[in-house]
Amino acid sequence: MSAKPSVIVVVSRKAITVFSTSFRSRKVPRSILTQFPRMTVLGPVDTASTPHFTAAGITYEIDEEYVAVVNAADAEITSPQDFPRDPLPNL
């Protein structure tokens, strides 16, 4: 078991927020650890061993299923022209 609790990384239109969770529940956020401006690029994700990325000098391990999510969040910033137009921008 890790000495540190798990984290939840939330990417919104305005910011990237890292929430701390408790040892008892990895699904319930307890506090905000840090917040990055939305223009922050999280990747590249290193998949040589356990997938991980480094942001602000902190390495975050992620499950393989979330590698594509991190890459998509980065693509929104690095190449927004490659995304289709939002059909419902006011929602």
Side-chain angles (χ1 to χ4, degrees), residues 38 41 68-83:
R38 180 56 191 104
V41 176
V69 176
V70 172
N71 291 337
D74 288 348
E76 274 188 318
I77 300 304
T78 59
S79 56
Q81 70 279 2
D82 293 339
F83 279 80

Side-chain angles (χ1 to χ4, degrees), residues 41-47 51-55 60 62 67 70-71 74 78:
V41 176
L42 298 174
V45 178
D46 183 0
T47 57
H52 64 276
F53 64 91
T54 302
Y60 297 95
I62 59 174
V67 171
V70 172
N71 291 337
D74 288 348
T78 59

Side-chain angles (χ1 to χ4, degrees), residues 6-45:
S6 296
V7 297
I8 298 171
V9 178
V10 177
V11 178
S12 69
R13 290 180 187 210
K14 295 184 179 183
I16 298 172
T17 307
V18 180
F19 292 93
S20 174
T21 63
S22 70
F23 290 106
R24 293 184 185 141
S25 175
R26 292 177 42 180
K27 297 179 182 179
V28 179
R30 303 223 5 137
S31 63
I32 295 175
L33 289 178
T34 190
Q35 204 166 29
F36 303 109
R38 180 56 191 104
M39 297 307 290
T40 303
V41 176
L42 298 174
V45 178

Side-chain angles (χ1 to χ4, degrees), residues 48-68:
S49 57
T50 302
H52 64 276
F53 64 91
T54 302
I58 300 171
T59 301
Y60 297 95
E61 291 183 2
I62 59 174
D63 293 332
E64 286 183 24
E65 63 188 291
Y66 297 113
V67 171

